[in-house]
């Protein structure tokens, strides 16, 4: 017997050693390795292995985005060559129900929160999906049919637990301006009321929350802010982005989390030569400017952004994400311009085309800002 065969036999017969090796592999290859043998299938499929793998790989980097063109299937778009996803593969997890009537609401550390589209007289259904494992779970109904749901937000922190929570902001009988938090916990499989009703700004966008720093964060078009601390189960406020006179009309272009950072980008109209990427301090003391972006540099590199625009201050540009890396010099801004997904390095100011999405109308974007969602490979359970 050769040395290599002997070593493989030792590893194969030692579950502890084999498990330690498998823990170090990304989620997607592990799914393929289920076909190696019945023993591997049993080991990798166990809930204990999935939970521990999720905890051990809590800092997995973003693999890409999931997006959908109008009337088409959800598609994975990898943002680096090492991703095991395929830009041409659709999410079969979402094919399990009628994709024409289903919308992705949010992504959080590898899981997706989805819903059916609203219909008159029919309560919306909500789902949790793991596109890596092709699993989805239908959440129990929230409260009574007469309850108005202002937003659902997904919270999962694989560095702390393999379970997730869904934070629902709904109406209450207390007052028209009051809202109630209700929480679904996957660990117990049920909804429960959290705290007392609270007063909320009339224009708060509760269906676009960002999970960061142990809480769900919301921002309104007028700059008002709220957050829900999940551990303490209390509502708080964080500083609004300061407004400078003379900047013109403000437009929120990005509000999201990456690499443990909460970022916000506003672009002021008429178009400025530069815009800033802001970051919230973890102690909620204030926003600080993290990066500057030279807009004219982007425009010079990709003049098609204004092709066909009658107004020179208008342009075709969607900010998909701030991509924070451990090495700051590798951090970038992911942009969607007509026909291309482009990465802009903050440090070097160098552009690179991540993916071509040609074949669509050049004067319109194939998906809007909220129709592209971060994709991270994970074995996290959905139920």
């Amino acid at each position: 017997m050769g040395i290599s065969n002997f070593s493989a036999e030792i590893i194969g017969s030692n579950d502890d050693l084999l498990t330690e090796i498998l823990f170090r592999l990304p989620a997607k290859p592990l799914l393929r390795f289920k076909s190696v043998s019945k023993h591997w299938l049993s080991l990798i499929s166990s809930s204990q292995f999935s939970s521990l793998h999720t905890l051990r790989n809590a800092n997995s980097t973003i693999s890409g985005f999931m997006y959908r063109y109008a009337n088409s299937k959800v598609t994975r778009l990898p943002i680096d060559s090492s991703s095991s996803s395929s830009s041409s593969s659709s999410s079969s997890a979402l094919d399990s129900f009628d994709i024409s009537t289903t919308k992705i609401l949010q992504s959080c550390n590898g899981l997706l929160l989805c819903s059916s589209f609203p219909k008159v007289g029919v309560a919306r259904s909500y789902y949790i999906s793991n596109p890596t494992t092709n699993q989805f779970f239908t959440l129990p109904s929230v409260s009574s049919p007469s309850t108005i749901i202002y937003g659902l937000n997904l919270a999962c922190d694989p560095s702390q637990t393999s379970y997730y929570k869904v934070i629902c902001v709904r109406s209450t009988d207390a007052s028209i301006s009051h809202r109630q938090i209700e929480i679904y916990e996957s660990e117990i499989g049920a909804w429960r009321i959290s705290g007392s009703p609270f007063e909320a700004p009339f224009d708060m966008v509760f269906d676009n929350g960002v999970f960061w720093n142990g809480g769900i964060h919301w921002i309104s078009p007028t700059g008002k802010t709220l957050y829900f601390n999940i551990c303490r189960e209390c509502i708080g406020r964080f500083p609004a982005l300061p407004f400078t006179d003379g900047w013109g009309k403000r437009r929120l272009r990005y509000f999201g989390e990456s690499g443990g950072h909460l970022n916000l980008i506003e672009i002021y109209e008429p178009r400025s030569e530069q815009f800033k990427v802001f970051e919230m301090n973890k102690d909620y003391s204030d926003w600080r400017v993290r990066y500057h972006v030279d807009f004219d540099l982007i425009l010079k590199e990709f003049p098609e952004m204004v092709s066909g625009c009658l107004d020179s201050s208008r342009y075709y540009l969607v900010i998909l994400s701030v991509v924070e890396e451990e090495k700051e010099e590798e951090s970038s801004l992911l942009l969607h311009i007509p026909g291309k997904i482009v990465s802009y390095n903050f440090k070097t100011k160098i552009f690179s085309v991540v993916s071509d999405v040609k074949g669509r109308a050049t004067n319109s974007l194939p998906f809007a800002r909220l129709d592209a969602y971060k994709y991270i490979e994970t074995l996290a359970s959905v139920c």
Side-chain angles (χ1 to χ4, degrees):
M1 180 183 293
I3 294 177
S4 60
N5 290 338
F6 180 70
S7 300
E9 193 171 294
I10 292 176
I11 295 172
S13 61
N14 187 323
D15 277 2
D16 291 338
L17 182 57
L18 177 59
T19 299
E20 281 299 318
I21 294 173
L22 294 177
F23 275 154
R24 288 164 169 75
L25 297 177
K28 204 70 175 180
L30 283 173
L31 298 178
R32 295 196 295 268
F33 289 161
K34 286 183 176 183
S35 61
V36 169
S37 67
K38 289 183 179 180
H39 178 59
W40 281 40
L41 173 62
S42 175
L43 182 65
I44 298 172
S45 300
S46 71
S47 58
Q48 182 182 18
F49 181 90
S50 297
S51 296
L52 291 175
H53 184 274
T54 301
L55 292 172
R56 291 278 292 270
N57 294 272
N59 296 319
S60 296
T61 57
I62 177 175
S63 300
F65 282 80
M66 304 197 70
Y67 68 95
R68 181 178 68 175
Y69 294 110
N71 301 318
S72 68
K73 293 181 178 180
V74 173
T75 302
R76 296 187 183 101
L77 173 69
I79 61 170
D80 62 79
S81 58
S82 62
S83 173
S84 58
S85 302
S86 170
S87 61
S88 61
S89 64
S90 63
S91 171
S92 54
L94 299 180
D95 290 342
S96 300
F97 45 86
D98 189 355
I99 194 64
S100 65
T101 60
T102 305
K103 176 177 175 59
I104 300 176
L105 302 178
Q106 187 185 7
S107 66
C108 185
N109 291 316
L111 298 183
L112 300 177
L113 172 64
C114 310
S115 81
S116 58
F117 284 107
K119 291 183 180 179
V120 177
V122 179
R124 295 177 74 171
S125 296
Y126 294 92
Y127 316 91
I128 301 295
S129 169
N130 183 334
T132 304
T133 60
N134 293 332
Q135 296 175 330
F136 79 95
F137 171 71
T138 303
L139 292 171
S141 298
V142 184
S143 303
S144 66
S146 60
T147 299
I148 299 173
I149 296 178
Y150 293 100
L152 265 73
N153 296 271
L154 180 60
C156 58
D157 183 355
S159 68
Q160 302 296 321
T161 176
S162 58
Y163 297 105
Y164 63 84
K165 294 182 180 181
V166 179
I167 312 302
C168 173
V169 182
R170 63 170 178 80
S171 61
T172 175
D173 296 332
S175 166
I176 262 185
S177 62
H178 281 72
R179 305 288 181 262
Q180 176 67 59
I181 296 288
E182 197 162 343
I183 301 176
Y184 175 83
E185 299 184 70
S186 66
E187 185 173 8
I188 62 175
W191 290 94
R192 63 175 177 82
I193 299 294
S194 173
S196 303
F198 63 96
E199 191 165 2
F202 76 95
D203 61 344
M204 186 58 64
V205 184
F206 285 111
D207 60 356
N208 189 27
V210 177
F211 178 60
W212 172 76
N213 205 25
I216 301 293
H217 300 74
W218 300 286
I219 192 165
S220 78
T222 53
K224 299 181 181 68
T225 63
L226 281 178
Y227 75 94
F228 177 70
N229 184 296
I230 295 174
C231 182
R232 297 200 300 267
E233 296 193 17
C234 62
I235 292 289
R237 297 183 184 275
F238 58 100
L241 194 66
F243 182 79
T244 301
D245 292 337
W247 278 12
K249 193 173 183 179
R250 66 198 305 178
R251 288 277 189 256
L252 178 64
R253 293 301 184 190
Y254 175 79
F255 180 51
E257 180 276 341
S258 177
H261 304 267
L262 181 68
N263 299 113
L264 186 148
I265 299 173
E266 285 189 324
I267 295 178
Y268 292 83
E269 297 178 355
R271 177 175 61 79
S272 304
E273 293 181 358
Q274 288 192 343
F275 61 85
K276 300 172 183 177
V277 179
F278 290 88
E279 178 186 328
M280 173 56 64
N281 295 328
K282 282 216 166 183
D283 62 0
Y284 295 102
S285 57
D286 206 356
W287 294 95
R288 67 185 181 93
V289 178
R290 185 162 174 81
Y291 304 109
H292 289 85
V293 178
D294 189 334
F295 188 91
D296 283 348
L297 189 63
I298 302 174
L299 187 60
K300 182 179 180 181
E301 187 77 16
F302 303 102
E304 60 266 36
M305 284 169 45
V306 294
S307 177
C309 288
L310 299 178
D311 184 350
S312 61
S313 68
R314 301 301 296 248
Y315 46 87
Y316 300 108
L317 169 70
V318 173
I319 299 173
L320 292 179
S321 180
V322 174
V323 182
E324 294 277 7
E325 302 288 358
E326 289 187 12
K327 296 180 179 179
E328 187 172 343
E329 61 270 19
E330 296 178 0
S331 296
S332 60
L333 187 66
L334 205 61
L335 307 169
H336 184 190
I337 64 174
K340 297 182 181 71
I341 305 295
V342 175
S343 176
Y344 170 83
N345 184 283
F346 291 117
K347 181 74 173 179
T348 65
K349 303 186 184 303
I350 293 176
F351 297 94
S352 59
V353 177
V354 176
S355 178
D356 286 324
V357 285
K358 294 181 178 178
R360 311 287 168 175
T362 56
N363 289 344
S364 62
L365 295 171
F367 50 82
R369 177 172 61 92
L370 297 181
D371 290 330
Y373 299 85
K374 292 179 184 178
Y375 172 60
I376 298 173
E377 294 179 359
T378 179
L379 294 182
S381 174
V382 299
C383 56

